[in-house]
Amino acid sequence: AAEVRPPRVLYSTLEYLTNLLLSKRDEDFPQLYPFIRDRMRGIQQDIILQRACDSLVLELVERTCRFYIYAEHRLCGDDV
């Protein structure tokens, strides 16, 4: 059985993913998206399993939402 990561570790994981995304060229986003989406899904699953609810978890959820909004824009273009 896999271990559930505590919120502080989840936050570090999200920081890593954000830095990875920012370090790549815009043209790389479509190839990078599935990897980041999969890891963010894992973060969300760990939050749900822990029933975690504090300011750090709220920030994790907000940043994840911002990523999905950005991804929708990048993958669909400006004419959404």
Side-chain angles (χ1 to χ4, degrees), residues 43-76:
I43 290 171
Q44 292 172 337
Q45 289 173 342
D46 284 1
I47 290 170
I48 291 168
L49 286 173
Q50 295 176 62
R51 297 179 191 250
C53 186
D54 60 22
S55 60
L56 184 60
V57 170
L58 179 60
E59 186 173 345
L60 285 167
V61 172
E62 287 175 348
R63 291 180 68 181
T64 301
C65 289
R66 283 189 218 118
F67 167 75
Y68 286 121
I69 291 167
Y70 172 77
E72 182 74 22
H73 171 73
R74 283 287 295 122
L75 296 173
C76 292

Side-chain angles (χ1 to χ4, degrees), residues 13-29:
T13 302
L14 187 59
E15 282 288 307
Y16 168 78
L17 294 172
T18 302
N19 290 333
L20 177 66
L21 179 62
L22 293 174
S23 71
K24 300 296 182 178
R25 298 182 327 246
D26 282 346
E27 301 84 39
D28 295 333
F29 185 78

